Amino acid sequence: MSDDDSPTATDGGTQLAPTASDARADYDYVGGAVARPGLVSDLESRVDGDVRFDTYTRQLYATDASAYEVTPIGVVFPTSTADVASVVSYCSEREIPVLPRGGGTSLAGQTVNEAVVLDFTRHMDAVVSLDSAGREARVQAGTVLADLNDRAAEHGLTFGPDPAAGNRSAIGGAIGNNSTGAHSLVYEKTDHYVEECEVVLADGTVTTFGEVSVDTLRERADPESDDLEARIAAGVLTLLDDHAGEIDDRYPELKRNVSGYNLDRLVAEYEGEYGEAGTVNLARLLAGSEGTLAVVTEATVSLEPLPETKSVALLTYDSVVEAVSDVQHVLDHDPAAVELIDDVLIDLAADTTEFADVVARLPDRTRAALLVEFYAEDDDHGREQVAGLLADRLPDGGDEAATDTDRYAFDALEAYDADERKEIWKLRKSGLPILLGRTSDEKHISFLEDCAIPPEHLPEFVSEFQDVLEANDTFAAFYAHAGPGVLHVRPLVNTKSQPDLDAMERIGEAITDLVVEYGGSVSGEHGDGRARTQWNRKLYGERLWEAFRDLKTAFDPDWLLNPGQVCGDVSMTENLRFDPDYEFDAGFDSALSWDNENGMQGMVELCHGCGGCRTQQSEGGVMCPTFRAADEEVTSTRGRANMLRQAMSGDLPDDPTDDEFVSEVMDLCIGCKGCAHDCPSEVDMAKLKVEVEHAHHQEHGAGLRERVFANVDTLARVGSALAPLSNIGPKLPGARTLMEKTLGIASERSLPTFERESLQDWFAARGPGVPESEADRKAVLFPDTYTNFSHPEVGKAAVRVLEAANVHVELAEVTDSGRPSYSKGFVDATRETATEAVEALAPRVEDGWDVVVVEPSDAVMLQSDYLDLLDGDAAASLAANSYGVCEYLDTFRLDDGLTVDAPGHSLAYHGHCHQKATKKDHHAVGVLRRAGYEVDPLDSGCCGMAGSFGYESEHHAMSMAIGDTLEGQVDGSEAEAVVAPGASCRTQLSDLDVETDGTFAGVDRDEPPTPIEALDAAIAGPDR
């Protein structure tokens, strides 16, 4: 959704931008202090983009994916290079620091600073042009790498560097960090692909950097000139004339060095290593400069052909040292990637639901593994490459060139098709999610995460690194890019503890000494930033350190561009997000159960800032629908988590229960639960929102509309009793306008209707269709509010299908699971409702009954949320024996005995977000396919209706904006009809005017049918 289309408070939609009390504060910045008025208004008059200096925005941009936190002066969202030039020029005149920023995915802290932040991802994010014949693209600095690759893939091309955060990091950040990824053995670093950059210099000058002859630089150079470009030329010449020899000597010979400025590339170009001698590309000098030399606004980058296919081998070892000892031999086979998985990750992965099956495939005694991937011309070529590797590296490989003492691997797995390869890569990628899932004060901190070492020295380096960790009473996992010698190592450290901070310094010092000893680099991937800048002096020596500083001064005489980084004075133990002075006070006691270390506080502090919630729907998954619609940091899980932590630690003037905080930060969380599944750390923002809303109700009370929605079961029961008269009322002239004015229910939204005969009424008159004595299983069907009173035909279909599968069915007496009240933060009322449900259903479970639920959100309520509300075996037993209706059929393969004949339809399936978050949405797909349907399972997120959210007038625009994505996915499917199990989803699809066809399932309504109705339609027989 473009900015012009974004809903705003003024048009009856949703307020997206923070509006904290000091949003209009107009102040100037002088040497770190708030002083003269004028800064905000001055900038607003100079740029077309947004200018935000309110407290909430500043705190949102105080963190990135690192361990650091620095509150910026303010944030500007430029729309053009002219905007950027205006901001930089203005700040230069007043000596105000400036920080360019992309997705905020920095792991070393280089994208947080006391500066005016320029966020390029909001407006300056376009692929300007793509020349497939010339294999080049022109992109703006805020363009997300995944978006560039989506465009390039249409032409069989890709941007070679593939950082793990490529689905949310921007090209400007990739240049600033000189990024690369798992396939750097083939693709090298970003500098290899940067052809030209449009930049804004420190004084606001707009210029273009690209290839230039040194002779031309000599003509331009003047170190005393007022012209900044002349001073830059002189600074570059000084490096080439006075320091080339030392640069050759001191820079490590590695593919992956990104410590310090990119001077080795500069000298290599000058000496003719990459082309004509005497020519350099100044755009490539910016690679790895972390925004300290110039602000990149656009770039021309070269592209690579996509590989035809790939093949994978997973070599297994008895120890990490043996695995890394084998790396140099594996490299002889020219792989595209060699990735290490160590015993720490294998053990942790084995204890997780998501990765346990993958670990189970590993041969016994596996304590480490190397994932080796090849790029291949075709499948036969891929198999040949793997066969050659295994012949050389396994003990029984049969290659006489290697002795038994040279072979370290004892077994291997092979993978050739895409699904097999994905499963093995899944284990490698499990590393970060597992490590970052700790809710204790101890965290796996990124401060020396990616040292680069020549592969032949990896065994000694790993052994000595482990000794250093042991000496400091901690440990870490060793994983990632073993091929180029870059291992990700995150020691476990409690930065709230001064002794741990002292150990952090000791570890940093000792490991830097090892890096220098083995000819490595302090950073092979994630840059210097606040974490590693201080080690560049030791790595390169005093003379080059001063050369760095001279270059910085030539580009930026007043050191205003991201000051402190690369060659500055930042310290790894300063400005930490958590430090010994950190204090936490939620201001209220948690009302829910938190089964983790540090309870609710542990969850509040869990977000590490990777920005995975900032991906777009093209990347799939559920998280985070409001960010995808609004493109605002505050609407991401990261934004909410940071703000909640800052409110509870005193960094914000507001308490988390204040009206302003609840409305600005928590209000747009729609409770989809996507973060609990998609977030690498599994931050459960939906649950945190319930806690905050509950505390807010306790302190400030609750409104009428909230109480109405929380008690919708009672409302629906009355509506059913009064039907059809109850369905006429909302259609009367003026009724909808009155409802909007009095209750805030959007007049544009379709309202549910009620049936006089509820599902319970129908079943009471009909009775069970399969005698208990003759049934294979017996199930209590939970008649949820929507199914019972509004669409009993869905429940009837469920009963018929279950009985066709020889299940004895009875209906539960309770109809309210507590979902409506829970979603509005009424924890006490929900606990009472849950207690009643457990008291009614748990005895049935104890007697051998299963509990089956038609509505997905109610099923997840019983399966998951009850465990947060109630203690005891009864709730746990109910949770373990509750199923969504398709989950029930699929889990026990009850549909195998059905006589089915799908009526020739292909179906697009939109799964409910709660089922996706709890990994249960796949069951319907399996059941429908076995019934004979062709099913296209959409990789969709939340529909945007989200229970009552889409009915609320101030949220209607946001709800529909989220739904636009789903509409596009449905329209893009070649299926003939769409099915959706969730009542909210079906309402949303109807209101979006998505073309629906329920006739094949005997459904005569505007909404799409449910999967259970489609299955019912496929069952043969006159009694269907």
Side-chain angles (χ1 to χ4, degrees), residues 440-626:
S440 61
D441 288 337
E442 297 84 6
K443 307 287 186 185
H444 287 281
I445 301 296
S446 173
F447 66 97
L448 272 174
E449 185 190 24
D450 58 329
C451 298
I453 302 296
E456 63 269 21
H457 295 311
L458 280 177
E460 301 94 326
F461 178 73
V462 169
S463 295
E464 294 187 51
F465 202 137
Q466 290 174 328
D467 291 342
V468 170
L469 295 176
E470 186 175 350
N472 285 278
D473 197 26
T474 189
F475 71 96
F478 290 75
Y479 67 104
H481 318 307
V486 180
L487 298 184
H488 289 341
V489 187
R490 288 187 174 217
L492 188 67
V493 176
N494 176 12
T495 59
K496 298 176 184 177
S497 159
Q498 188 59 51
D500 272 28
L501 283 187
D502 296 339
M504 189 172 163
E505 287 270 16
R506 290 194 301 271
I507 293 169
E509 187 85 42
I511 300 307
T512 302
D513 289 340
L514 285 179
V515 166
V516 174
E517 177 185 347
Y518 288 115
S521 168
V522 176
S523 177
E525 185 168 7
H526 298 143
D528 297 321
R530 297 178 176 275
R532 288 182 281 265
T533 286
Q534 71 188 74
W535 306 119
N536 279 335
R537 189 193 299 258
K538 176 180 286 191
L539 180 63
Y540 291 114
E542 194 66 32
R543 190 157 178 257
L544 284 185
W545 174 260
E546 291 302 326
F548 289 168
R549 295 174 67 84
D550 289 343
L551 180 68
K552 165 70 172 172
T553 302
F555 272 86
D556 181 15
D558 297 317
W559 285 52
L560 296 176
L561 299 180
N562 201 10
Q565 321 300 311
V566 184
C567 58
D569 57 358
V570 293
S571 167
M572 66 185 294
T573 55
E574 294 178 353
N575 297 114
L576 289 162
R577 192 181 307 187
F578 304 110
D579 61 24
D581 295 327
Y582 174 85
E583 295 181 357
F584 181 92
D585 180 9
F588 59 85
D589 294 330
S590 61
L592 302 173
S593 173
W594 293 91
D595 186 20
N596 56 265
E597 294 180 89
N598 282 0
M600 183 178 69
Q601 177 181 349
M603 183 59 67
V604 171
E605 296 174 353
L606 183 57
C607 173
H608 64 281
C610 73
C613 46
R614 287 173 53 94
T615 60
Q616 296 301 317
Q617 188 58 58
S618 60
E619 293 295 310
V622 181
M623 182 179 69
C624 180
T626 48

Side-chain angles (χ1 to χ4, degrees), residues 846-862:
E846 189 175 346
D847 288 342
W849 291 72
D850 306 309
V851 177
V852 179
V853 188
V854 174
E855 177 60 35
S857 61
D858 290 282
V860 173
M861 192 74 195
L862 272 61

Side-chain angles (χ1 to χ4, degrees), residues 214 217-218 235-245 247 263 266-271 280:
V214 174
L217 289 178
R218 293 192 190 284
V236 172
L237 287 173
T238 298
L239 291 171
L240 297 174
D241 292 342
D242 299 345
H243 298 287
I247 291 169
L263 305 188
L266 179 76
V267 171
E269 289 183 341
Y270 175 57
E271 295 175 347
V280 296

Side-chain angles (χ1 to χ4, degrees), residues 91-157:
C91 290
S92 174
E93 293 172 3
R94 291 157 181 79
E95 298 186 355
I96 301 172
V98 175
L99 167 64
R101 173 166 161 146
T105 58
S106 157
L107 289 169
Q110 54 264 63
T111 59
V112 293
N113 215 328
E114 186 179 3
V116 173
V117 172
L118 297 169
D119 182 349
F120 286 91
T121 62
R122 179 85 167 120
H123 303 293
M124 297 181 67
D125 60 351
V127 178
V128 178
S129 63
L130 194 148
D131 175 9
S132 58
R135 298 206 317 219
E136 284 188 349
R138 182 76 172 180
V139 290
Q140 291 183 303
T143 305
V144 173
L145 295 182
D147 294 340
L148 170 59
N149 281 330
D150 286 346
R151 282 280 303 274
E154 297 172 6
H155 306 281
L157 300 172

Side-chain angles (χ1 to χ4, degrees), residues 34-257:
V34 174
R36 302 184 308 272
L39 176 55
V40 175
S41 58
D42 283 354
L43 288 175
E44 285 181 331
S45 69
R46 284 165 169 77
V47 302
D48 293 329
D50 298 334
V51 177
R52 299 184 193 165
F53 280 59
D54 60 276
T55 297
Y56 280 16
T57 297
R58 293 169 67 219
Q59 290 303 131
L60 283 166
Y61 284 81
T63 56
D64 53 13
S66 72
Y68 298 95
E69 180 171 345
V70 184
T71 305
I73 300 166
V75 183
V76 177
F77 302 83
T79 63
S80 64
T81 298
D83 273 1
V84 176
S86 293
V87 172
V88 174
S89 176
Y90 178 87
C91 290
S92 174
E93 293 172 3
R94 291 157 181 79
E95 298 186 355
I96 301 172
V98 175
L99 167 64
R101 173 166 161 146
T105 58
S106 157
L107 289 169
Q110 54 264 63
T111 59
V112 293
N113 215 328
E114 186 179 3
V116 173
V117 172
L118 297 169
D119 182 349
F120 286 91
T121 62
R122 179 85 167 120
H123 303 293
M124 297 181 67
D125 60 351
V127 178
V128 178
S129 63
L130 194 148
D131 175 9
S132 58
R135 298 206 317 219
E136 284 188 349
R138 182 76 172 180
V139 290
Q140 291 183 303
T143 305
V144 173
L145 295 182
D147 294 340
L148 170 59
N149 281 330
D150 286 346
R151 282 280 303 274
E154 297 172 6
H155 306 281
L157 300 172
T158 187
F159 179 66
D162 58 343
N167 59 356
R168 65 262 192 198
S169 57
I171 190 69
I175 294 170
N177 202 55
N178 204 5
S179 297
T180 186
H183 297 90
S184 62
L185 293 173
V186 174
Y187 290 137
E188 302 190 43
K189 303 189 297 288
T190 294
D191 63 358
H192 188 75
Y193 300 93
V194 177
E195 304 299 332
E196 185 178 274
C197 287
E198 177 188 76
V199 302
V200 176
L201 301 180
D203 63 354
T205 299
V206 178
T207 190
T208 298
F209 283 163
E211 189 173 283
V212 61
S213 72
V214 174
D215 289 341
T216 300
L217 289 178
R218 293 192 190 284
E219 294 172 4
R220 297 177 181 170
D222 182 354
E224 304 300 326
S225 174
D226 292 334
D227 179 12
L228 199 50
E229 291 187 76
R231 298 180 67 169
I232 290 169
V236 172
L237 287 173
T238 298
L239 291 171
L240 297 174
D241 292 342
D242 299 345
H243 298 287
E246 187 158 6
I247 291 169
D248 281 335
D249 292 340
R250 291 301 297 252
Y251 269 70
E253 296 183 8
L254 296 166
K255 284 180 173 287
R256 295 289 293 266
N257 176 34

Side-chain angles (χ1 to χ4, degrees), residues 11-14 705 709 730 735-752 945 947-960 987-988 991:
D11 66 7
T14 298
R705 185 183 65 185
F709 281 132
R736 298 306 305 275
T737 301
L738 180 64
M739 291 178 67
E740 182 160 339
K741 289 182 177 179
T742 58
L743 288 176
I745 295 176
S747 57
E748 308 95 323
R749 178 65 72 182
S750 298
L751 294 178
M945 189 67 182
S948 63
F949 181 87
Y951 288 103
E952 296 163 356
S953 56
E954 74 274 22
H955 295 148
H956 180 260
M958 172 65 82
S959 172
M960 298 301 283
T987 299
Q988 180 76 312
D991 284 1

Side-chain angles (χ1 to χ4, degrees), residues 309-311 376-388 416:
T309 188
K310 305 172 186 177
S311 60
E377 298 170 2
D378 52 40
D379 289 341
D380 289 341
H381 181 216
R383 291 178 183 275
E384 288 173 8
Q385 291 179 99
V386 170
Y416 300 101

